[in-house]
Amino acid sequence: MPTIAEYVETFLSEHEVRSNTIEGYGCRLRKHVVPYLGGRPVTEVRRPEYKKFFAALRSDGVLDSHRLQVKKALSSMLSAALDDPDFGHLMPGNQVIGLKLPAGHREKARLTWEQVVALAEEIDPAYELLIWYGALQGLRSMEAVAVRTTDMKCSLKKLEVVEQRQRGKAAPLKTAHSHAVIPMGSFVVEKFEAHMERRTAPPTANALRHRKRSGWTPRPEEYDQLVTVTRRGTPLRRNTLSQAFNRAKDRARAKGVMVPVTATFRDLRDFMDAVLIAAGVPPRSVQARMRHGTLAETLDTYGFALEVDWEHAPASFDGLFGIPAPAGLPEAALLPRSQRSRRQAAMTRRRRPGGLSKRPPA
C-alpha cells in the first residue's frame, strides 16, 4: 500500500493537466502535505486527520487563500487515488471534499499614479519597462517577461500577447481569453525604444572583464528575442522580478512615496483596470483590454480608484493607453506631462506676490 508521500509522486507523474498546474500541485503537496502526512498509507487517513492538518497549517501562519490551494491539490490527488485499480476500492471516498475552510482573499493594494511612477523610477533600469507593461498594458508578471521584440508592433502601436514564461521556459497563456492584440500608447513605444537601445549597446570594458572573471557564456539565441532579460541574459523568473519589485518599493518609501507595503506586481494590473473604469471607458472595452473572461471579473475593481491623480501621470491618457480619452476627463489627463508641468509652474508664479516676476520688488 503506498504512503501519501509515495503516491504524491505517482500522482504528479500521471496527472494530465497543464505543466504549470502540475508544478503548483507539486509545490503544495511536497511542501505541506508530505511533511505532515507523508508516512501514512493513502487509504488510512480520515477526515478528522485532514481537519487537524489544515488547522496545523493555519497555526503555522499559512494564509487562508494558500490553504485553499493546498486543499485543491490534495483533493485532486485523492480523487485520482480513488480510481487506482489496486487500492482505490479500499478508500472510503475523498475525505477532503466537504471540508469548509475560510475563503481568504488577497488584499489589493490601491496604487496611485505617483506610486506607479516611483516604482518605475526606483526599480532596476533593466526592468523598468515591465512596470509599464503591467500598469499600461495590463500584463501579468510572467506575460510581461515573455514579451518578444516581434510582439511589439510599434509602427501599429499594438502589443500582441502570445505566451508567458514559467521557470524560464515558454508556456501557454493562462486562459483562452489571454491571447490578444492590444493598443499601445506612444509612451510605451518610447520606453521600449530606449530600453532596447540600452540593451543592445556594446558591453563596457568593465562588463567584459566581469564576464571573463565569472566565466560568462553567450546566451542562447532564443533569448535574444526577449525584450527583458536578467543581467546574465537569461529569462526572468517570478522570484527575480518579485525581489526587484520589493526593492523598488522600499526605495520609493524611503524617498517619501508611500507605496503600500502589501503591493505586488499583480496590483499594477488591478491599477490599470480601476483607472480605465474610473476614467469612463465602457466596461466592455475595459474587459477586452484586460482580457477577462467575464464582465464581472472586470468590474470587480469598480470604485477602486474613484479619483485618479492625473497630475502625477507620466503622459496624457491617449499617450499612456493608446486609445482616445473618454469625455469628461480633467485637463491634466489630456495634456502631455511637459505641458502640464509648464502650466503648473506658471500658476505658481502667478500666486507669488508681485505677479509673474520672481524677483523681489526693489
Side-chain angles (χ1 to χ4, degrees):
M1 196 66 59
T3 63
I4 286 181
E6 292 169 342
Y7 190 73
V8 162
E9 300 307 320
T10 301
F11 166 72
L12 294 174
S13 64
E14 296 179 353
H15 198 46
E16 296 185 6
V17 292
R18 294 171 55 190
S19 59
N20 55 331
T21 302
I22 284 293
E23 181 182 341
Y25 282 179
C27 178
R28 294 162 196 138
L29 292 172
R30 290 171 180 143
K31 181 178 180 180
H32 298 294
V33 178
V34 170
Y36 193 90
L37 296 168
R40 299 290 307 281
V42 70
T43 58
E44 293 185 4
V45 185
R46 298 294 186 265
R47 187 181 298 267
E49 292 171 278
Y50 286 122
K51 285 185 177 179
K52 290 180 181 178
F53 162 66
F54 286 113
L57 289 184
R58 188 171 192 178
S59 299
D60 291 341
V62 178
L63 297 177
D64 289 340
S65 57
H66 191 67
R67 289 199 303 153
L68 282 175
Q69 295 300 317
V70 174
K71 178 188 172 185
K72 181 178 179 181
L74 181 57
S75 179
S76 182
M77 186 194 78
L78 293 177
S79 294
L82 283 170
D83 294 332
D84 191 287
D86 295 328
F87 58 82
H89 62 285
L90 300 176
M91 297 178 63
N94 188 332
Q95 298 291 286
V96 169
I97 291 179
L99 283 181
K100 300 296 184 181
L101 298 179
H105 297 286
R106 183 181 71 90
E107 182 181 350
K108 294 180 180 180
R110 302 190 176 192
L111 297 175
T112 64
W113 271 122
E114 182 182 24
Q115 293 165 350
V116 172
V117 171
L119 288 169
E121 291 175 346
E122 298 302 329
I123 202 168
D124 186 319
Y127 306 148
E128 178 191 355
L129 187 59
L130 298 177
I131 299 294
W132 302 121
Y133 279 156
L136 301 179
Q137 301 302 121
L139 300 189
R140 301 173 179 91
S141 60
M142 293 298 99
E143 293 173 343
V145 304
V147 175
R148 303 168 299 179
T149 54
T150 53
D151 302 330
M152 298 289 292
K153 321 291 186 183
C154 292
S155 60
L156 301 174
K157 291 190 177 179
K158 303 283 186 180
L159 169 60
E160 185 174 11
V161 186
V162 178
E163 63 185 19
Q164 61 175 326
R165 287 263 160 180
Q166 294 290 346
R167 299 178 67 87
K169 297 180 180 179
L173 292 167
K174 183 178 180 182
T175 68
H177 300 278
S178 297
H179 184 282
V181 179
I182 50 183
M184 181 168 57
S186 57
F187 179 84
V188 177
V189 172
E190 292 170 4
K191 289 291 183 181
F192 166 72
E193 291 172 345
H195 171 88
M196 293 306 298
E197 185 177 348
R198 290 194 303 269
R199 190 189 152 187
T200 57
T204 64
N206 285 338
L208 290 173
R209 283 194 294 270
H210 176 73
R211 288 181 180 184
K212 186 175 181 180
R213 288 196 303 267
S214 61
W216 184 86
T217 56
R219 59 179 175 262
E221 290 185 5
E222 65 168 307
Y223 297 165
D224 288 338
Q225 294 185 359
L226 293 175
V227 171
T228 309
V229 292
T230 66
R231 295 200 174 276
R232 290 184 171 271
T234 55
L236 268 79
R237 301 197 178 199
R238 195 181 303 274
N239 286 345
T240 304
L241 178 55
S242 178
Q243 290 168 6
F245 187 91
N246 288 335
R247 285 193 293 269
K249 186 167 57 179
D250 293 340
R251 291 181 188 129
R253 291 178 63 85
K255 291 185 177 181
V257 181
M258 293 294 103
V259 180
V261 175
T262 58
T264 65
F265 191 94
R266 181 175 175 178
D267 291 308
L268 295 172
R269 179 172 159 85
D270 290 340
F271 166 80
M272 175 180 157
D273 188 358
V275 166
L276 292 180
I277 291 174
V281 178
R284 287 291 180 186
S285 298
V286 179
Q287 179 187 358
R289 181 64 178 260
M290 298 300 300
R291 299 168 292 128
H292 285 151
T294 63
L295 185 60
E297 188 178 358
T298 301
L299 297 177
D300 183 50
T301 55
Y302 187 78
F304 189 89
L306 297 179
E307 295 183 8
V308 181
D309 59 330
W310 288 110
E311 293 77 10
H312 291 97
S316 62
F317 182 93
D318 59 346
L320 293 169
F321 298 107
I323 56 177
L329 286 182
E331 186 180 42
L334 307 177
L335 295 174
R337 192 174 196 177
S338 56
Q339 293 184 28
R340 204 184 310 146
S341 300
R342 285 197 295 270
R343 291 197 177 197
Q344 289 174 345
M347 291 177 63
T348 301
R349 288 196 297 271
R350 292 192 194 100
R351 287 195 291 267
R352 287 196 181 101
L356 297 177
S357 174
K358 293 183 180 180
R359 297 179 181 177

